[in-house]
Amino acid sequence: MAPTLTQPLSDERRLLVNARLVDPANRRDEAGGIAIENGLIADIGPHIKAGTARGSEVHDCKGRIAIPGIVDMQVTTGEPGHEHRETLASASEAAAAGGVTTFCCQPDTDPVIDDIALVDFILRRARDTALVRVQPMAALTKGLGGAEMTELGLLQQAGAVAVTDGRHGVANSLVLRRAMAYARDLDLLIIQNPQDNDLASDGVMHEGEVSMRLGLPGIPAAAEVMMLERDMRLVQLTGARYHAAQISCAPSATVIARAKDLGLPVTCGVSVNHLTLNENDIGPYRTFHKMSPPLRPEDDRQAMVAALADGTIDVVVSSHDPQDPDTKRRPFIEAAYGANGLETLLPAMLSLVHNEDLTLARAVEVLSMAPAKLLGLRAGTLSPGAPADIAIIDPTATWVVSTADMRSRSKNTPFEDRRFEGRVVKTYVAGRVVFQHDGP
Amino acid sequence: MNAENTGPAPILRHQHLLGIEGLSPSEINALLDLADKYVELNRQIDKKQDILRGRTQINLFFEASTRTQSSFELAGKRLGADVMNMSVTSSSVKKGETVVDTAMTLNAMHPDILVVRHHAAGAVELLSQKVRCAVVNGGDGSHEHPTQALLDALTIRRRKGNIQGLTVAICGDILHSRVARSNILLLNALGARVRIIAPTTLLPGAADRLGVEVFTNMESGLEGCDIVMMLRLQLERMNGSYVPSTREYFHLFGLDEEKLALAKPDALVMHPGPINRGIEIDSLVADGLKSVIHEQVEMGVAVRMAVLEALARNLPGGGNG
């Protein structure tokens, strides 16, 4: 198990009562309460009521839903290097407000997290400044250069939960084959953002009718599918544990489904953006909707939702990528990729639940239990003995996304002015309240 | 012919020694028995023999070598042969002569024994088809290095009495190692249990077809071993291509006292040399009591004398020709 320096235990005892407990890991969906001791869940169930344990502070959940805290596998911060966009501290505040109790920061920082000293730096900064748990991912190749593998064994021992070249898919098949073979010996998870950059070329959005009408260079869906198909061959060759960070189009889901049928150790994720937005949302060149992979046509979005529901897709990420006006208030072609997302991840997922595209249990599973399991983290469940990382959500509260209320240092949300139904009202990490929504 | 009828018995069935592959256990044992005698001879003050008197031995090295070439040179000289060293360096190769042309040129000079090292697997065998003399493979690419395996076997046999039933772990760059291939063949032929230990990036794709146990973790692979055979990791294979870095390699696969403690208490540490201290082996282990690295060098001369003698017996006028 990777060492974690974050979040010392507190010896406070709390009772969360009068909640609807939703815990997919234990197939639990019932009214009840949670007893917290020493930062861990001591007991859970319908028998937990106010007065169950004397000397405990009682929190009345007023019938709202208690879920395991969200584990977000893909969060980019600006620390180190671009702290004006986001620090671990500011990202953790945004995370807490979004019910995210653990996030994995990406290695595409400045300097790149490709050395054990930088993994250690992240863990220490997170311990000293962050409200939630932070698990660093390390680079797969030195300097994200795609040419030489990093010290995978030492990085793993230092606490990296997975290795990835972040936004850069590894293009060189030989480099990836060797890195996969080496990672397999260590049982280390390799995460790839599949996109053939030669084919994607100078494209800035999905290649299709919309890109044609906007006069923007396109990225064909094949750029994603091709690399994913190649990677499946390499997984077959090496036996490495492989996770596609994000897929975005229907053929990619088919590739993953086929690999799973073959019994390959393959999983994949999707960003909440690709579940709830499509290329038409770009409208009049909205740069906040410029992201990688690009937003796809509505058919692909629906295919992503279906693949998530049927288990082809394993996890959902926010793909939080804070950008400032310097990089976003530009012509679409020149604007940076990336969308802010920690605070809107859960509300956007709840919109799928309200549409009955997804059950609440499945939504919670792909946000908490599934990523925790993939990364080997003690998280994502409300089982006794697990860390008391809990989000309390009000599924019906309506609100409008306003950048003024966002905790993230960057405001590049694709959901600005969107009316959501459902929000996080309280977040616990190790039994302590790290976020509380003030208001009705 | 009278001289041939009274000559010593043949040891090898073949004209050349191109690899361990194709040698029978009895041929291997006969070579080792003969080498044993030369170990004793080499420890005497007068080491000179006349078994190869009048014979010409050419050491033809297409790849730089210090210890193998000098070992073959000494072996030939102690047996009374005229020994010539030819280093065909990369600059000479640029002149355009092919291996086959070089072989035919040398053949015209009537050598009796050619010792050849080449960077391409199979090159020594190709050359052997074009000459009339005996050819010894002094290492061809990542294919075979038969005299290294024989000297390793002699070292083990003299220390442990027997090879049958021993557990031998070969650790490191198996993928590129001719030493590993020859040793696996020889040790399997003599009934040892062979393990190979390396990160998957340094293992051949079909490693499990070699008749060995494959480990990707030193700790589990070394447990209960009688012999720990370390391989050299070439510098160009570190730094991100096959392994991430020298420090990570040493951390995970370098033989230090802690890892060696998992092998049997009387385990021997071997290395074909030259060693990379602090990369595949810790100095404390390389220079420690369990190390037989210098003994291997000693056995190398004796084994090569045995090989030269065995091949000379099969030459015309050698008693069995």
Side-chain angles (χ1 to χ4, degrees):
Chain A
M1 181 69 52
T4 175
L5 297 174
T6 53
Q7 308 307 334
L9 295 178
S10 82
D11 56 3
E12 297 158 84
R13 301 167 72 178
R14 293 215 167 82
L15 284 180
L16 276 50
V17 300
N18 193 20
R20 177 182 163 197
L21 308 168
V22 175
D23 181 20
N26 294 300
R27 295 170 184 275
R28 185 192 295 276
D29 187 347
E30 62 186 352
I34 303 170
I36 298 172
E37 271 177 44
N38 295 325
L40 304 175
I41 294 175
D43 198 4
I44 179 170
H47 59 285
I48 308 271
K49 299 186 174 77
T52 298
R54 271 176 301 162
S56 291
E57 188 181 302
V58 175
H59 291 194
D60 185 352
C61 297
K62 299 175 185 166
R64 287 162 179 159
I65 300 171
I67 64 168
I70 294 169
V71 178
D72 189 343
M73 282 180 69
Q74 196 176 357
V75 170
T76 303
T77 79
E79 188 166 353
H82 294 281
E83 286 83 356
H84 62 288
R85 286 185 200 152
E86 195 85 291
T87 58
L88 290 167
S90 66
S92 79
E93 283 177 47
V100 176
T101 53
T102 300
F103 69 77
C104 297
C105 57
Q106 300 297 297
D108 352 21
T109 48
D110 185 10
V112 170
I113 301 173
D114 61 0
D115 188 275
I116 49 174
L118 285 148
V119 171
D120 192 59
F121 167 79
I122 295 289
L123 288 170
R124 286 172 192 278
R125 283 293 288 173
R127 175 195 62 189
D128 295 344
T129 66
L131 289 174
V132 305
R133 300 177 202 268
V134 177
Q135 302 285 355
M137 288 184 182
L140 180 59
T141 65
K142 291 171 188 170
L144 306 175
E148 297 164 1
M149 77 170 101
T150 51
E151 295 173 310
L152 302 184
L154 297 175
L155 289 165
Q156 182 184 36
Q157 286 180 6
V161 290
V163 286
T164 175
D165 268 4
R167 301 181 186 95
H168 313 259
V170 177
N172 186 312
S173 305
L174 179 62
V175 170
L176 187 59
R177 184 233 173 134
R178 292 211 184 119
M180 278 186 173
Y182 197 85
R184 184 197 152 275
D185 295 346
L186 304 166
D187 193 28
L188 178 61
L189 182 68
I190 284 196
I191 301 182
Q192 170 96 306
N193 277 284
Q195 178 168 297
D196 183 321
N197 282 328
D198 291 320
L199 186 59
S201 188
D202 57 355
V204 293
M205 67 173 291
H206 175 75
E207 179 177 296
E209 187 183 337
V210 181
S211 70
M212 179 189 67
R213 289 186 189 285
L214 291 172
L216 291 172
I219 301 169
E224 176 178 306
V225 185
M226 278 167 59
M227 186 175 268
L228 204 55
E229 283 181 322
R230 178 205 65 171
D231 288 358
M232 294 306 102
R233 297 285 170 187
L234 292 175
V235 171
Q236 204 161 18
L237 188 62
T238 60
R241 285 171 61 212
Y242 174 97
H243 177 76
Q246 291 187 40
I247 63 168
S248 64
C249 58
S252 292
T254 309
V255 173
I256 294 287
R258 208 186 305 133
K260 287 184 170 181
D261 283 345
L262 288 172
L264 299 181
V266 167
T267 51
C268 75
V270 65
S271 91
V272 73
N273 301 319
H274 295 86
L275 293 169
T276 56
L277 302 167
N278 66 31
E279 59 177 352
N280 295 308
D281 289 300
I282 291 169
Y285 303 97
R286 289 190 190 102
T287 59
F288 286 5
H289 292 72
K290 180 176 177 179
M291 52 190 79
S292 180
L295 292 173
R296 303 287 187 189
E298 174 62 12
D299 287 351
D300 283 319
R301 185 197 71 80
Q302 290 180 15
M304 292 299 97
V305 174
L308 182 64
D310 72 20
T312 302
I313 296 176
D314 304 88
V315 303
V316 175
V317 297
S318 70
S319 191
H320 183 80
D321 189 355
Q323 297 289 335
D324 54 42
D326 289 355
T327 54
K328 276 293 190 185
R329 296 290 181 210
R330 285 166 170 263
F332 198 89
I333 286 178
E334 295 172 16
Y337 292 92
N340 194 312
L342 276 166
E343 290 162 84
T344 45
L345 171 60
L346 183 70
M349 281 296 280
L350 287 174
S351 72
L352 296 171
V353 175
H354 292 313
N355 283 342
E356 297 183 349
D357 290 329
L358 216 56
T359 63
L360 178 64
R362 179 68 183 153
V364 173
E365 181 185 354
V366 298
L367 288 171
S368 57
M369 175 187 131
K373 209 173 141 193
L374 250 180
L375 298 166
L377 302 176
R378 273 179 74 216
T381 163
L382 300 178
S383 303
D389 297 353
I390 303 161
I392 308 296
I393 57 181
D394 180 343
T396 54
T398 56
W399 60 292
V400 175
V401 177
S402 157
T403 53
D405 299 333
M406 294 185 81
R407 272 115 182 128
S408 173
R409 273 195 191 170
S410 293
K411 313 296 179 189
N412 53 311
T413 172
F415 296 109
E416 189 168 4
D417 297 331
R418 168 80 69 113
R419 179 176 292 273
F420 277 129
E421 191 180 344
R423 73 179 314 151
V424 177
V425 292
K426 209 181 240 182
T427 305
Y428 297 84
V429 171
R432 289 177 305 163
V433 177
V434 293
F435 168 76
Q436 184 154 13
H437 173 62
D438 305 315
Chain B
M1 302 253 293
N2 232 4
E4 286 176 26
N5 291 339
T6 57
I11 290 172
L12 296 170
R13 289 169 296 161
H14 301 290
Q15 180 191 352
H16 310 298
L17 178 67
L18 298 178
I20 297 299
E21 188 162 30
L23 291 187
S24 66
S26 61
E27 284 176 299
I28 295 168
N29 279 321
L31 281 173
L32 298 181
D33 292 344
L34 185 57
D36 257 331
K37 292 181 192 151
Y38 283 123
V39 174
E40 304 314 320
L41 176 77
N42 286 337
R43 288 176 180 173
Q44 293 172 17
I45 293 169
D46 181 2
K47 306 172 181 68
K48 196 77 174 177
Q49 296 281 298
D50 59 3
I51 291 166
L52 296 186
R53 190 167 59 197
R55 300 287 191 192
T56 303
Q57 173 191 336
I58 300 179
N59 296 334
L60 178 59
F61 277 63
F62 291 90
E63 195 180 70
S65 158
T66 309
R67 70 184 62 211
T68 305
Q69 184 172 321
S70 52
S71 181
F72 269 111
E73 183 178 353
L74 211 49
K77 284 179 171 167
R78 284 187 181 163
L79 293 177
D82 294 314
V83 183
M84 186 178 90
N85 288 318
M86 272 188 70
S87 289
V88 189
T89 55
S90 53
S91 60
S92 311
V93 173
K94 276 182 193 158
K95 288 180 185 167
E97 189 172 61
T98 65
V99 177
V100 170
D101 287 336
T102 307
M104 300 209 300
T105 304
L106 289 175
N107 190 49
M109 299 179 191
H110 296 291
D112 299 286
I113 297 173
L114 267 179
V115 179
V116 186
R117 169 171 288 190
H118 198 280
H119 45 82
V124 179
E125 186 172 348
L126 175 66
L127 190 142
S128 74
Q129 294 161 8
K130 305 292 173 188
V131 296
R132 293 163 57 90
C133 62
V135 174
V136 183
N137 184 354
D140 65 323
S142 302
H143 177 226
E144 280 231 46
H145 191 357
T147 55
Q148 178 72 43
L150 288 164
L151 75 87
D152 288 339
L154 184 64
T155 310
I156 297 170
R157 206 177 77 164
R158 288 175 65 91
R159 280 287 191 139
K160 295 288 184 186
N162 205 346
I163 287 175
Q164 175 96 30
L166 294 178
T167 301
V168 183
I170 306 176
C171 320
D173 187 357
I174 311 286
L175 180 63
H176 301 97
S177 177
R178 52 193 173 214
V179 175
R181 276 170 185 71
S182 290
N183 262 309
I184 290 167
L185 291 166
L186 190 152
L187 293 166
N188 274 337
L190 295 192
R193 289 208 306 267
V194 184
R195 300 174 177 180
I196 55 178
I197 314 173
T200 301
T201 45
L202 294 177
L203 286 171
D208 55 328
R209 304 288 303 153
L210 289 167
V212 298
E213 275 186 279
V214 182
F215 294 85
T216 56
N217 173 289
M218 280 289 267
E219 281 75 8
S220 47
L222 288 178
E223 207 164 327
C225 279
D226 297 286
I227 307 289
V228 183
M229 202 179 269
M230 300 306 296
L231 298 174
R232 178 178 166 80
L233 182 63
Q234 305 281 5
L235 273 165
E236 65 270 21
R237 294 183 182 133
M238 305 165 203
N239 302 324
S241 57
Y242 291 86
V243 295
S245 67
T246 53
R247 71 171 174 181
E248 174 153 328
Y249 189 76
F250 183 68
H251 185 69
L252 295 177
F253 292 95
L255 187 67
D256 54 18
E257 292 193 311
E258 202 179 320
K259 295 193 190 89
L260 182 56
L262 295 163
K264 284 192 183 158
D266 61 348
L268 300 180
V269 174
M270 303 177 70
H271 193 301
I275 63 175
N276 285 316
R277 290 174 186 270
I279 294 174
E280 72 257 355
I281 192 163
D282 191 277
S283 279
L284 285 174
V285 172
D287 305 331
L289 293 172
K290 293 175 179 175
S291 167
V292 293
I293 294 173
H294 296 299
E295 215 167 297
Q296 289 172 269
V297 178
E298 183 190 359
M299 296 306 129
V301 178
V303 147
R304 285 165 183 131
M305 289 167 81
V307 167
L308 294 174
E309 183 187 341
L311 292 173
R313 285 189 195 180
N314 294 354
L315 288 170
N320 307 124

